[in-house]
Amino acid sequence: MPTHEGLALYAAATEAGALGLPLLEVGTYCGRSAVLLADAARAAGVSALTVDHHRGSEEQQPGWEYHDPSVVDPEVGLMDTLPTFRRTLRRAGLEEHIVALVGRSPQIAAVWHGPLGLVFVDGGHTDEHATADYEGWAPHIAEGGLLVIHDVFPDPADGGQAPYRIYRRALASGAFTEVAATDSLRVLRRTGPGI
């Protein structure tokens, strides 16, 4: 995530923290955006939560553009970003301000029952994964809360289309209104019921 998009995410998290509800991200990877959410949550006195299975998204697997062999667990031969994420939080001094929920987003969303002040969707970029993240977590966003979606590219030449499709779906639902856009980062406010 470029710095200016990270600053926009931090501003959204700071605003949402004023609702007094947890801030949640889907898609942790090594923790860069989690640090931003955890710091905003710390300042607001709320919890930050991050959801990831830590095995990497499709584009991070061997042979793909964003693969990083340094995060492959040599014992099992699979990606494991959890140790790197934990080190990132420790270096930032934010371990006490975030809860790592390790597992698949739809499974965790299915057992989550509380309202959220912010949901940041930055998980898998296939239609299946992006749709599951949206359908699983958007219903938990409180009135006035924020839905933040990363990697929204209207032009297919610029990037994958799954985040763009859930962004368009959120707007078409009438449940969300766009309040900010910073390059590929979109911030929408819940202004009505539904998803």
Side-chain angles (χ1 to χ4, degrees):
M1 175 181 295
T3 301
H4 61 290
E5 289 183 351
L7 292 172
L9 173 62
Y10 185 78
T14 299
E15 178 184 334
L19 295 173
L21 296 169
L23 314 175
L24 180 135
E25 104 176 313
V26 180
T28 311
Y29 191 55
C30 293
R32 186 173 182 184
S33 57
V35 166
L36 299 170
L37 291 184
D39 191 55
R42 178 198 52 75
V46 300
S47 296
L49 309 156
T50 185
V51 176
D52 201 309
H53 50 73
H54 290 279
R55 294 293 187 204
S57 297
E58 46 284 335
E59 71 273 6
Q60 296 162 339
Q61 300 306 315
W64 289 84
E65 180 180 2
Y66 295 104
H67 178 66
D68 179 356
S70 73
V71 294
V72 173
D73 180 338
E75 185 175 324
V76 297
L78 299 172
M79 291 186 63
D80 187 358
T81 59
L82 185 58
T84 305
F85 164 68
R86 291 187 63 132
R87 286 190 295 273
T88 299
L89 286 180
R90 181 162 181 78
R91 282 193 302 268
L94 292 167
E95 286 180 295
E96 300 297 320
H97 301 285
I98 195 159
V99 177
L101 302 168
V102 180
R104 303 236 171 242
S105 174
Q107 293 170 311
I108 296 171
V111 298
W112 184 265
H113 298 292
L116 298 165
L118 176 141
V119 170
F120 174 45
V121 178
D122 193 21
H125 286 51
T126 64
D127 281 312
E128 175 189 2
H129 293 131
T131 298
D133 292 342
Y134 177 71
E135 290 178 352
W137 293 106
H140 299 289
I141 300 171
E143 180 70 26
L146 300 177
L147 170 63
V148 182
I149 306 170
H150 192 228
D151 295 325
V152 173
F153 297 109
D155 183 345
D158 294 330
Q161 291 295 285
Y164 178 69
R165 282 190 277 277
I166 64 167
Y167 158 75
R168 297 296 307 160
R169 178 179 171 187
L171 290 176
S173 73
F176 296 95
T177 303
E178 187 170 341
V179 294
T182 305
D183 287 345
S184 76
L185 189 84
R186 300 294 187 277
V187 180
L188 295 84
R189 184 180 317 285
R190 177 173 289 286
T191 53
I195 61 163

